[in-house]
Amino acid sequence: MDKLIVEGGNPLAGEVSISGAKNAALPILTAAILTEDALRIENVPELRDIATTCALLTQMGIWVRRPEPRVVELSAHALSNPLAPYDLVKTMRASILVLGPLVARCGEARVSLPGGCAIGLRPVDLHIKGLQAMGAEIDIDHGYIHARAKRLQGARIVLDLVTVTGTENLMMAASLAEGTTILENAAREPEVVDLAQCLQAMGARIKGAGTDVITIEGVERLHGATFKVMPDRIETGTFLVATAMTGGRVVLTDTRPDILDAVITKLRETGALIEAGNDAISICADTRPLAVGLRTAPYPAFPTDMQAQFVALNAIAEGTAIVTETIFENRFMHVQELRRLGAEIEVEGNTAVITGTPNLAGATVMATDLRASACLVLAGLVARGETVVDRIYHLDRGYQAIEAKLSALGARIRRAS
Ligand code: EPU
């Protein structure tokens, strides 16, 4: 089952519940490495990347249980194999998130170096430099990062550029280090804050998460906790864009409008009416959207993980838009595929110029990464006739039950092999 077939033309209407955030759940699951006690994580989305992370932790000797939907219980009391093998890391770059916790808890880690990926080179040099600054000895041989430290030492680390998983890795490592660590130019993403709150519930002493200076006072040991993962802001944004593109009225529940300011501002510029409550957002879009220019940048600016979806929106909008990608060097793979549906898009370096046309026509297109696949599904929702989105396993990494959720809103979408 690796294709989605979408028949365009139906406006979306109804209510949809947003799942837990993939990019918060992934580091939070790896935080289980930091304690011998049991950790219970709630609101975990049912996704392929979550299954990969559970498999990665299990092969280390960590006990992982899923007692009910969306709940994962973990216990690392018998952690025996501080290894992240190539076979798992190659399927999910976020596996690098085990590096910091493993060195901090076991004094040792062997983690396969992630290779390049569809959206850019994505090196992990800042994760490594940060751990070295905390006293870890690190060698790279045979494609593996081998890190050792009797006990990590607190340090002042100025990150060269804003890295989300880099900040998370170092924050976890510092939680068990001796002394105080100060992370400067830290990522301010809400997922970093969610991880910090989980670590605090486990007994970590962390201040400043959500700002660009995070201070972590290391403790001897962390303890078990129960923690509920935040809602997925990118899934939320994707459904908002889908509604703005198809026209319609949708209420998104179990979400957090307060962490979506940049996306909501852009959607209002398209002409959509949006009302934000505490944990719900409603959107009403009656006319063809107006084109909106944007530039991706670290939070709180416009997220790179929403860029592809807004390129799809601009492809059918009224007017011309300029979209600039500043985080990843190769994140316009969806453009070629959108062109196959009739979109008019020119790419020059890290900038796409999109001239909207109301006449996309269905075709077979290929998903290249998670957000590119979402963008192609959105285009399919408005294209005339049938759009077949191939290699849909990319989508299953990050969107829980997307075809069921879209069908419930009135879209014509089904899976096929
Ligand atoms: N970078 C380096 N060296 C490093 C680390 C990062 O040069 O050591 C560069 C990257 O190559 C990139 C930039 O810094 O150009 C930012 O990368 P970052 O490290 O912030 O990305 P990430 O932590 O690998 C997370 C999300 C991504 C999201 C980015 C940016 C997770 C598991 N992944 O990746 O999510 O795009 O932050 O917000 O949190 C997705 O969900 O589709 C996705 C790709």
Side-chain angles (χ1 to χ4, degrees), residues 33 56 59-60 81-86 88-90 92-103 108-114 124 127-128 131 138-147 169:
I33 294 171
L56 179 63
Q59 65 83 44
M60 289 175 190
N81 185 28
L83 169 78
Y86 175 69
L88 287 169
V89 177
K90 77 173 181 202
M92 190 189 68
R93 298 182 55 86
S95 310
I96 191 70
L97 283 164
V98 301
L99 180 65
L102 282 178
V103 197
E108 183 171 22
R110 276 180 76 80
V111 177
S112 172
L113 262 182
V124 290
H127 301 234
I128 292 173
L131 288 172
I138 301 191
D139 303 309
I140 295 177
D141 62 328
H142 300 291
Y144 275 78
I145 305 166
H146 188 195
N169 230 338

Side-chain angles (χ1 to χ4, degrees), residues 125-378:
D125 55 314
L126 301 176
H127 301 234
I128 292 173
K129 278 188 196 151
L131 288 172
Q132 283 171 328
M134 295 169 78
E137 272 181 45
I138 301 191
D139 303 309
I140 295 177
D141 62 328
H142 300 291
Y144 275 78
I145 305 166
H146 188 195
R148 289 166 306 257
K150 268 217 177 82
R151 182 159 183 212
L152 292 169
Q153 303 294 313
R156 177 171 166 259
I157 300 168
V158 184
L159 292 155
D160 281 354
L161 48 81
V162 176
T163 161
V164 176
T165 51
T167 301
E168 292 166 345
N169 230 338
L170 298 174
M171 193 165 72
M172 288 192 276
S175 297
L176 284 183
E178 188 176 351
T180 300
T181 299
I182 301 170
L183 296 178
E184 296 196 15
N185 198 27
R188 292 180 281 170
E189 267 65 5
E191 293 76 13
V192 173
V193 178
D194 217 39
L195 171 64
Q197 285 171 351
C198 177
L199 294 169
Q200 283 163 341
M202 295 165 68
R205 298 199 188 132
I206 301 175
K207 281 196 199 130
T211 75
D212 60 1
V213 181
I214 304 179
T215 306
I216 308 116
E217 205 186 305
V219 295
E220 290 274 341
R221 64 179 298 277
L222 295 176
H223 53 72
T226 294
F227 190 78
K228 184 175 176 195
V229 174
M230 64 182 274
D232 197 311
R233 63 192 167 103
I234 306 301
E235 187 195 20
T236 307
T238 303
F239 276 98
L240 289 173
V241 174
T243 313
M245 286 174 72
T246 59
R249 287 160 188 262
V250 170
V251 179
L252 303 154
T253 59
D254 308 309
T255 187
R256 274 189 50 191
D258 62 310
I259 50 177
L260 275 147
D261 281 348
V263 169
I264 289 176
T265 301
K266 287 293 162 193
L267 281 166
R268 287 193 169 129
E269 284 176 30
T270 72
L273 297 174
I274 296 183
E275 273 177 42
N278 279 339
D279 58 2
I281 307 180
S282 66
I283 174 163
C284 172
D286 287 336
T287 52
R288 184 175 167 205
L290 302 174
V292 276
L294 59 95
R295 186 184 175 83
T296 66
Y299 189 85
F302 190 91
T304 174
D305 290 343
M306 285 301 302
Q307 178 256 103
Q309 299 88 320
F310 271 78
V311 169
L313 179 141
N314 280 314
I316 58 137
E318 199 177 319
T320 298
I322 296 179
V323 169
T324 305
E325 170 61 51
T326 75
I327 306 290
F328 293 111
E329 63 277 15
N330 191 29
R331 212 174 195 182
F332 278 128
M333 301 280 277
H334 41 284
V335 164
Q336 284 285 57
E337 302 301 305
L338 285 173
R339 281 198 191 125
R340 306 195 61 251
L341 301 175
E344 290 175 33
I345 308 174
E346 294 302 324
V347 175
E348 179 78 39
N350 67 347
T351 298
V353 180
I354 307 136
T355 308
T357 161
N359 297 317
L360 296 188
T364 297
V365 286
M366 195 174 72
T368 47
D369 71 78
L370 169 57
R371 307 306 170 187
S373 11
C375 141
L376 297 174
V377 170
L378 299 190

